[in-house]
Amino acid sequence: MEEKHVWDKVNQWEEELGLLRALIQKTELVATTKWGGEIYTLNNKNVLGIGGFKSYFGIWFMNGVFLKDEAKVLVNANEGVTRGLRQWRFQSATELNETLVMDYINEAIANEKVGRSIKPEKKEALHCEFLATQLNQDKALSTAFEQLTAYKQKEYWEYMATAKQEKTKLTRFEKIKPLLLDGRGLNDKYRK
């Protein structure tokens, strides 16, 4: 039996999610499973998702911030953190206005086609003077560090830079030194 991937952790919204799914299937969006639930894409770009929670079921638009939202139905689920995603929550199937929902879905598709999206912000990599000094003083350590991928180097820089006290920096350095000399990344043990 195929495992069902839906965000309906309380299993009370099957019929309602079916109604949303039927509307979405009238469009050119492609159903996929991401993050354990239903996401609909256009040209491999995430456009929207559906799911059910304890007190509501809903549809969320990945770049919903660009929707006109003339009906004032969209909410930012995590104000101050979520930049682009907007949700439309329903407490019952009777709240579903098919025409209005299709208007929002079609606008989201049109926005995706013209490339309206929030681009992730690039974070400046942290730098740690303590680690830089240690690398400058030990040629073998420096060589091993330089042979790591940029991603693994960044993990080490951030790990060391977030230590506030000198004794914490020393403790962390003693922990990472054998990993570096062995050519391993800080979080390799967690990667498959």
Side-chain angles (χ1 to χ4, degrees), residues 10-140:
V10 291
N11 295 315
Q12 67 186 28
W13 304 110
E14 190 170 337
E15 181 184 329
E16 291 84 351
L17 290 173
L19 294 170
L20 282 175
R21 196 175 296 113
L23 293 176
I24 297 165
Q25 288 171 347
K26 294 178 182 180
T27 71
E28 61 196 286
L29 295 176
V30 176
T32 67
T33 299
K34 293 185 182 183
W35 310 294
E38 287 177 74
I39 297 293
Y40 293 85
T41 65
L42 182 71
N43 299 324
N44 294 318
K45 301 280 188 186
N46 301 332
V47 177
L48 57 92
I50 63 172
F53 299 91
K54 189 183 272 187
S55 61
Y56 67 92
F57 68 99
I59 183 170
W60 47 93
F61 301 92
M62 302 307 174
N63 286 298
V65 70
F66 296 112
L67 297 174
K68 293 179 193 120
D69 193 21
E70 291 170 355
K72 304 290 183 230
V73 294
L74 300 179
V75 296
N76 183 339
N78 204 350
E79 202 68 49
V81 178
T82 304
R83 293 175 45 218
L85 189 132
R86 295 296 181 268
Q87 295 180 340
W88 187 349
R89 298 174 178 178
F90 306 95
Q91 272 74 41
S92 76
T94 59
E95 295 178 20
L96 279 176
N97 176 329
E98 182 175 332
T99 304
L100 193 57
V101 172
M102 285 305 293
D103 287 347
Y104 276 72
I105 292 172
N106 288 325
E107 185 183 352
I109 292 169
N111 284 344
E112 184 58 49
K113 286 181 177 180
V114 297
R116 292 184 85 190
S117 66
I118 299 265
K119 304 290 184 235
E121 292 178 2
K122 286 258 186 197
K123 288 198 302 186
E124 187 83 20
L126 296 177
H127 184 75
C128 175
E129 205 54 50
F130 180 88
L131 180 58
T133 302
Q134 297 300 321
L135 293 173
N136 287 337
Q137 293 174 354
D138 188 328
K139 185 71 176 152

Side-chain angles (χ1 to χ4, degrees), residues 166-178:
E166 201 65 28
K167 66 179 183 179
T168 307
K169 290 178 185 179
L170 286 167
T171 303
R172 287 185 179 188
F173 180 72
E174 291 306 316
K175 175 185 173 185
I176 68 169
K177 189 174 179 179

Side-chain angles (χ1 to χ4, degrees), residues 125 131 135 141-158 179-180 182-188 191:
L131 180 58
L135 293 173
L141 196 63
S142 179
T143 302
F145 186 79
E146 289 169 12
Q147 290 176 346
L148 294 172
T149 62
Y151 182 78
K152 290 180 180 184
Q153 288 180 10
K154 181 181 175 191
E155 286 180 334
Y156 281 116
W157 282 120
E158 289 182 354
L179 296 173
L180 284 170
D182 208 23
R184 296 188 329 228
L186 180 64
N187 297 311
D188 282 0
R191 294 187 181 97

